[in-house]
PDB file of all heavy atoms in Angstrom:
ATOM      1  N   ASP A  23      96.347 190.918  84.853  1.00 66.00           N
ATOM      2  CA  ASP A  23      96.289 190.039  83.694  1.00 66.00           C
ATOM      3  C   ASP A  23      97.634 189.705  83.095  1.00 66.00           C
ATOM      4  O   ASP A  23      97.761 188.916  82.107  1.00 66.00           O
ATOM      5  CB  ASP A  23      95.419 190.728  82.528  1.00 66.00           C
ATOM      6  CG  ASP A  23      96.009 191.929  82.087  1.00 66.00           C
ATOM      7  OD1 ASP A  23      97.151 192.418  82.480  1.00 66.00           O
ATOM      8  OD2 ASP A  23      95.399 192.590  81.131  1.00 66.00           O
ATOM      9  N   PRO A  36     107.394 187.019  77.542  1.00 90.00           N
ATOM     10  CA  PRO A  36     106.734 188.330  77.244  1.00 90.00           C
ATOM     11  C   PRO A  36     107.587 189.385  77.739  1.00 90.00           C
ATOM     12  O   PRO A  36     108.012 189.463  78.989  1.00 90.00           O
ATOM     13  CB  PRO A  36     105.357 188.220  77.902  1.00 90.00           C
ATOM     14  CG  PRO A  36     104.986 186.840  77.902  1.00 90.00           C
ATOM     15  CD  PRO A  36     106.362 186.092  78.263  1.00 90.00           C
ATOM     16  N   GLY A  48     108.755 193.732  95.254  1.00 93.00           N
ATOM     17  CA  GLY A  48     109.366 194.731  96.101  1.00 93.00           C
ATOM     18  C   GLY A  48     110.841 194.739  96.201  1.00 93.00           C
ATOM     19  O   GLY A  48     111.478 195.338  97.074  1.00 93.00           O
ATOM     20  N   TYR A  60     130.858 190.573  93.009  1.00 98.00           N
ATOM     21  CA  TYR A  60     130.492 189.320  93.480  1.00 98.00           C
ATOM     22  C   TYR A  60     131.584 188.306  93.728  1.00 98.00           C
ATOM     23  O   TYR A  60     131.712 187.765  94.754  1.00 98.00           O
ATOM     24  CB  TYR A  60     129.319 188.726  92.508  1.00 98.00           C
ATOM     25  CG  TYR A  60     129.003 187.294  92.772  1.00 98.00           C
ATOM     26  CD1 TYR A  60     128.316 186.887  93.920  1.00 98.00           C
ATOM     27  CD2 TYR A  60     129.375 186.282  91.838  1.00 98.00           C
ATOM     28  CE1 TYR A  60     127.971 185.625  94.125  1.00 98.00           C
ATOM     29  CE2 TYR A  60     129.059 184.952  92.161  1.00 98.00           C
ATOM     30  CZ  TYR A  60     128.363 184.531  93.216  1.00 98.00           C
ATOM     31  OH  TYR A  60     128.054 183.280  93.453  1.00 98.00           O
ATOM     32  N   ILE A  69     136.467 181.850 102.211  1.00 98.00           N
ATOM     33  CA  ILE A  69     137.646 181.652 103.124  1.00 98.00           C
ATOM     34  C   ILE A  69     137.141 181.612 104.560  1.00 98.00           C
ATOM     35  O   ILE A  69     137.660 180.768 105.357  1.00 98.00           O
ATOM     36  CB  ILE A  69     138.650 182.704 102.858  1.00 98.00           C
ATOM     37  CG1 ILE A  69     139.327 182.602 101.481  1.00 98.00           C
ATOM     38  CG2 ILE A  69     139.732 182.624 104.070  1.00 98.00           C
ATOM     39  CD1 ILE A  69     140.262 183.686 101.199  1.00 98.00           C
ATOM     40  N   GLU A  83     131.023 170.530 117.014  1.00 98.00           N
ATOM     41  CA  GLU A  83     129.728 171.198 116.919  1.00 98.00           C
ATOM     42  C   GLU A  83     128.870 170.437 116.029  1.00 98.00           C
ATOM     43  O   GLU A  83     129.335 169.634 115.130  1.00 98.00           O
ATOM     44  CB  GLU A  83     129.863 172.660 116.495  1.00 98.00           C
ATOM     45  CG  GLU A  83     130.578 173.544 117.520  1.00 98.00           C
ATOM     46  CD  GLU A  83     129.604 174.040 118.574  1.00 98.00           C
ATOM     47  OE1 GLU A  83     128.356 173.940 118.293  1.00 98.00           O
ATOM     48  OE2 GLU A  83     130.104 174.517 119.629  1.00 98.00           O
ATOM     49  N   LEU A  85     125.851 171.574 113.181  1.00 98.00           N
ATOM     50  CA  LEU A  85     125.256 172.685 112.553  1.00 98.00           C
ATOM     51  C   LEU A  85     124.218 172.287 111.526  1.00 98.00           C
ATOM     52  O   LEU A  85     124.584 171.523 110.641  1.00 98.00           O
ATOM     53  CB  LEU A  85     126.351 173.667 112.037  1.00 98.00           C
ATOM     54  CG  LEU A  85     125.846 174.916 111.213  1.00 98.00           C
ATOM     55  CD1 LEU A  85     124.989 175.785 112.086  1.00 98.00           C
ATOM     56  CD2 LEU A  85     127.029 175.665 110.631  1.00 98.00           C
ATOM     57  N   PHE A  89     117.306 175.375 104.084  1.00 98.00           N
ATOM     58  CA  PHE A  89     116.999 176.299 102.948  1.00 98.00           C
ATOM     59  C   PHE A  89     115.576 175.959 102.489  1.00 98.00           C
ATOM     60  O   PHE A  89     115.271 174.829 101.933  1.00 98.00           O
ATOM     61  CB  PHE A  89     117.906 175.960 101.752  1.00 98.00           C
ATOM     62  CG  PHE A  89     119.345 176.521 102.093  1.00 98.00           C
ATOM     63  CD1 PHE A  89     120.225 175.747 102.849  1.00 98.00           C
ATOM     64  CD2 PHE A  89     119.813 177.681 101.440  1.00 98.00           C
ATOM     65  CE1 PHE A  89     121.508 176.291 103.144  1.00 98.00           C
ATOM     66  CE2 PHE A  89     121.063 178.188 101.701  1.00 98.00           C
ATOM     67  CZ  PHE A  89     121.982 177.480 102.524  1.00 98.00           C
ATOM     68  N   GLY A  96     116.371 179.990  94.064  1.00 95.00           N
ATOM     69  CA  GLY A  96     117.899 179.958  94.142  1.00 95.00           C
ATOM     70  C   GLY A  96     118.421 179.154  95.305  1.00 95.00           C
ATOM     71  O   GLY A  96     119.691 179.290  95.602  1.00 95.00           O
ATOM     72  N   GLN A 106     131.039 174.789  98.077  1.00 97.00           N
ATOM     73  CA  GLN A 106     131.945 174.555  96.966  1.00 97.00           C
ATOM     74  C   GLN A 106     133.341 174.270  97.344  1.00 97.00           C
ATOM     75  O   GLN A 106     133.931 173.359  96.697  1.00 97.00           O
ATOM     76  CB  GLN A 106     131.966 175.942  96.119  1.00 97.00           C
ATOM     77  CG  GLN A 106     132.775 175.888  94.814  1.00 97.00           C
ATOM     78  CD  GLN A 106     132.615 177.190  93.986  1.00 97.00           C
ATOM     79  OE1 GLN A 106     132.004 178.160  94.584  1.00 97.00           O
ATOM     80  NE2 GLN A 106     133.029 177.139  92.811  1.00 97.00           N
ATOM     81  N   SER A 122     108.551 157.373 101.183  1.00 94.00           N
ATOM     82  CA  SER A 122     108.200 156.017 100.667  1.00 94.00           C
ATOM     83  C   SER A 122     106.963 155.633 101.424  1.00 94.00           C
ATOM     84  O   SER A 122     106.369 156.373 102.375  1.00 94.00           O
ATOM     85  CB  SER A 122     109.203 155.010 101.009  1.00 94.00           C
ATOM     86  OG  SER A 122     109.350 154.869 102.374  1.00 94.00           O
ATOM     87  N   THR A 140     126.015 164.469 113.054  1.00 98.00           N
ATOM     88  CA  THR A 140     126.799 163.985 114.110  1.00 98.00           C
ATOM     89  C   THR A 140     127.798 165.056 114.547  1.00 98.00           C
ATOM     90  O   THR A 140     127.934 166.080 113.885  1.00 98.00           O
ATOM     91  CB  THR A 140     127.523 162.729 113.787  1.00 98.00           C
ATOM     92  OG1 THR A 140     128.054 162.089 114.946  1.00 98.00           O
ATOM     93  CG2 THR A 140     128.649 162.917 112.733  1.00 98.00           C
ATOM     94  N   LEU A 146     123.191 170.645 105.392  1.00 98.00           N
ATOM     95  CA  LEU A 146     122.322 171.669 104.741  1.00 98.00           C
ATOM     96  C   LEU A 146     121.069 170.967 104.150  1.00 98.00           C
ATOM     97  O   LEU A 146     121.278 169.951 103.434  1.00 98.00           O
ATOM     98  CB  LEU A 146     123.027 172.344 103.611  1.00 98.00           C
ATOM     99  CG  LEU A 146     124.348 173.214 104.044  1.00 98.00           C
ATOM    100  CD1 LEU A 146     125.568 172.250 104.031  1.00 98.00           C
ATOM    101  CD2 LEU A 146     124.557 174.346 103.156  1.00 98.00           C
ATOM    102  N   ARG A 149     115.284 171.983 101.086  1.00 96.00           N
ATOM    103  CA  ARG A 149     113.982 171.711 101.573  1.00 96.00           C
ATOM    104  C   ARG A 149     114.003 170.807 102.734  1.00 96.00           C
ATOM    105  O   ARG A 149     115.008 170.087 102.930  1.00 96.00           O
ATOM    106  CB  ARG A 149     112.959 171.209 100.479  1.00 96.00           C
ATOM    107  CG  ARG A 149     112.821 172.168  99.304  1.00 96.00           C
ATOM    108  CD  ARG A 149     111.605 171.717  98.481  1.00 96.00           C
ATOM    109  NE  ARG A 149     111.309 172.582  97.403  1.00 96.00           N
ATOM    110  CZ  ARG A 149     110.633 173.721  97.398  1.00 96.00           C
ATOM    111  NH1 ARG A 149     110.175 174.114  98.556  1.00 96.00           N
ATOM    112  NH2 ARG A 149     110.485 174.455  96.261  1.00 96.00           N
ATOM    113  N   GLY A 162      97.699 170.467  98.549  1.00 93.00           N
ATOM    114  CA  GLY A 162      96.734 169.491  99.155  1.00 93.00           C
ATOM    115  C   GLY A 162      97.285 168.172  99.404  1.00 93.00           C
ATOM    116  O   GLY A 162      96.503 167.138  99.401  1.00 93.00           O
ATOM    117  N   GLU A 170      98.152 171.996 110.894  1.00 98.00           N
ATOM    118  CA  GLU A 170      98.009 172.642 112.176  1.00 98.00           C
ATOM    119  C   GLU A 170      98.929 171.852 113.220  1.00 98.00           C
ATOM    120  O   GLU A 170      99.513 172.481 114.087  1.00 98.00           O
ATOM    121  CB  GLU A 170      96.532 172.522 112.662  1.00 98.00           C
ATOM    122  CG  GLU A 170      95.646 173.352 111.687  1.00 98.00           C
ATOM    123  CD  GLU A 170      95.978 174.844 111.828  1.00 98.00           C
ATOM    124  OE1 GLU A 170      96.417 175.313 112.865  1.00 98.00           O
ATOM    125  OE2 GLU A 170      95.746 175.431 110.777  1.00 98.00           O
ATOM    126  N   LEU A 173     102.574 172.902 112.724  1.00 98.00           N
ATOM    127  CA  LEU A 173     102.848 174.132 113.171  1.00 98.00           C
ATOM    128  C   LEU A 173     102.960 174.203 114.621  1.00 98.00           C
ATOM    129  O   LEU A 173     103.720 175.076 115.247  1.00 98.00           O
ATOM    130  CB  LEU A 173     101.761 175.204 112.622  1.00 98.00           C
ATOM    131  CG  LEU A 173     101.824 175.413 111.115  1.00 98.00           C
ATOM    132  CD1 LEU A 173     100.650 176.380 110.684  1.00 98.00           C
ATOM    133  CD2 LEU A 173     103.107 176.070 110.635  1.00 98.00           C
ATOM    134  N   GLY A 187     122.136 170.934 121.834  1.00 98.00           N
ATOM    135  CA  GLY A 187     123.362 171.514 121.343  1.00 98.00           C
ATOM    136  C   GLY A 187     123.436 171.733 119.795  1.00 98.00           C
ATOM    137  O   GLY A 187     124.381 172.135 119.316  1.00 98.00           O
ATOM    138  N   ARG A 189     123.025 173.623 116.512  1.00 98.00           N
ATOM    139  CA  ARG A 189     122.796 174.947 116.049  1.00 98.00           C
ATOM    140  C   ARG A 189     121.913 174.883 114.805  1.00 98.00           C
ATOM    141  O   ARG A 189     122.306 174.208 113.745  1.00 98.00           O
ATOM    142  CB  ARG A 189     124.161 175.724 115.765  1.00 98.00           C
ATOM    143  CG  ARG A 189     124.987 175.782 116.967  1.00 98.00           C
ATOM    144  CD  ARG A 189     126.357 176.519 116.671  1.00 98.00           C
ATOM    145  NE  ARG A 189     127.240 176.527 117.789  1.00 98.00           N
ATOM    146  CZ  ARG A 189     127.187 177.606 118.752  1.00 98.00           C
ATOM    147  NH1 ARG A 189     126.244 178.460 118.566  1.00 98.00           N
ATOM    148  NH2 ARG A 189     127.983 177.461 119.782  1.00 98.00           N
ATOM    149  N   GLN A 202     109.798 184.716  89.224  1.00 94.00           N
ATOM    150  CA  GLN A 202     109.582 183.271  89.231  1.00 94.00           C
ATOM    151  C   GLN A 202     109.174 182.823  87.886  1.00 94.00           C
ATOM    152  O   GLN A 202     109.608 181.749  87.440  1.00 94.00           O
ATOM    153  CB  GLN A 202     108.497 182.837  90.210  1.00 94.00           C
ATOM    154  CG  GLN A 202     108.376 181.299  90.353  1.00 94.00           C
ATOM    155  CD  GLN A 202     107.330 181.010  91.376  1.00 94.00           C
ATOM    156  OE1 GLN A 202     106.177 181.512  91.386  1.00 94.00           O
ATOM    157  NE2 GLN A 202     107.740 180.149  92.342  1.00 94.00           N
ATOM    158  N   LEU A 206     111.460 179.977  85.869  1.00 91.00           N
ATOM    159  CA  LEU A 206     110.873 178.685  85.475  1.00 91.00           C
ATOM    160  C   LEU A 206     110.863 178.590  83.884  1.00 91.00           C
ATOM    161  O   LEU A 206     110.989 177.514  83.427  1.00 91.00           O
ATOM    162  CB  LEU A 206     109.442 178.584  85.993  1.00 91.00           C
ATOM    163  CG  LEU A 206     109.368 178.500  87.570  1.00 91.00           C
ATOM    164  CD1 LEU A 206     107.929 178.347  87.958  1.00 91.00           C
ATOM    165  CD2 LEU A 206     110.261 177.353  87.997  1.00 91.00           C
ATOM    166  N   HIS A 229      99.696 179.223  91.990  1.00 89.00           N
ATOM    167  CA  HIS A 229      99.520 179.124  93.401  1.00 89.00           C
ATOM    168  C   HIS A 229     100.464 180.134  94.144  1.00 89.00           C
ATOM    169  O   HIS A 229     100.698 179.998  95.332  1.00 89.00           O
ATOM    170  CB  HIS A 229      99.820 177.712  93.905  1.00 89.00           C
ATOM    171  CG  HIS A 229      98.892 176.733  93.496  1.00 89.00           C
ATOM    172  ND1 HIS A 229      98.939 176.117  92.219  1.00 89.00           N
ATOM    173  CD2 HIS A 229      97.783 176.216  94.186  1.00 89.00           C
ATOM    174  CE1 HIS A 229      97.920 175.226  92.156  1.00 89.00           C
ATOM    175  NE2 HIS A 229      97.223 175.260  93.286  1.00 89.00           N
ATOM    176  N   TYR A 233     101.092 180.275  98.185  1.00 94.00           N
ATOM    177  CA  TYR A 233     102.382 180.074  98.838  1.00 94.00           C
ATOM    178  C   TYR A 233     102.765 181.277  99.774  1.00 94.00           C
ATOM    179  O   TYR A 233     103.247 181.053 100.821  1.00 94.00           O
ATOM    180  CB  TYR A 233     103.482 179.885  97.821  1.00 94.00           C
ATOM    181  CG  TYR A 233     103.624 178.413  97.333  1.00 94.00           C
ATOM    182  CD1 TYR A 233     103.201 177.995  96.019  1.00 94.00           C
ATOM    183  CD2 TYR A 233     104.205 177.510  98.161  1.00 94.00           C
ATOM    184  CE1 TYR A 233     103.395 176.739  95.602  1.00 94.00           C
ATOM    185  CE2 TYR A 233     104.367 176.232  97.735  1.00 94.00           C
ATOM    186  CZ  TYR A 233     104.001 175.842  96.472  1.00 94.00           C
ATOM    187  OH  TYR A 233     104.183 174.550  96.014  1.00 94.00           O
ATOM    188  N   TYR A 248     115.158 180.676 119.590  1.00 98.00           N
ATOM    189  CA  TYR A 248     116.236 179.660 119.510  1.00 98.00           C
ATOM    190  C   TYR A 248     116.326 179.117 118.071  1.00 98.00           C
ATOM    191  O   TYR A 248     117.328 178.486 117.754  1.00 98.00           O
ATOM    192  CB  TYR A 248     115.908 178.551 120.384  1.00 98.00           C
ATOM    193  CG  TYR A 248     114.534 178.013 120.383  1.00 98.00           C
ATOM    194  CD1 TYR A 248     114.107 176.992 119.476  1.00 98.00           C
ATOM    195  CD2 TYR A 248     113.523 178.512 121.240  1.00 98.00           C
ATOM    196  CE1 TYR A 248     112.858 176.495 119.430  1.00 98.00           C
ATOM    197  CE2 TYR A 248     112.240 177.981 121.229  1.00 98.00           C
ATOM    198  CZ  TYR A 248     111.913 176.995 120.268  1.00 98.00           C
ATOM    199  OH  TYR A 248     110.623 176.587 120.244  1.00 98.00           O
ATOM    200  N   LYS A 259     120.340 186.583  92.309  1.00 98.00           N
ATOM    201  CA  LYS A 259     120.979 185.440  92.893  1.00 98.00           C
ATOM    202  C   LYS A 259     122.266 185.771  93.531  1.00 98.00           C
ATOM    203  O   LYS A 259     122.712 185.161  94.522  1.00 98.00           O
ATOM    204  CB  LYS A 259     121.077 184.329  91.840  1.00 98.00           C
ATOM    205  CG  LYS A 259     119.785 183.658  91.309  1.00 98.00           C
ATOM    206  CD  LYS A 259     120.145 182.648  90.300  1.00 98.00           C
ATOM    207  CE  LYS A 259     118.823 181.960  89.836  1.00 98.00           C
ATOM    208  NZ  LYS A 259     119.121 180.915  88.840  1.00 98.00           N
TER     209      LYS A 259
END
Side-chain angles (χ1 to χ4, degrees):
D23 64 0
Y60 167 71
I69 291 172
E83 290 280 342
L85 177 59
F89 287 79
Q106 188 174 9
S122 66
T140 189
L146 298 89
R149 294 197 184 276
E170 294 300 325
L173 292 174
R189 296 182 183 273
Q202 187 175 54
L206 295 182
H229 292 84
Y233 273 108
Y248 50 86
K259 292 181 180 180

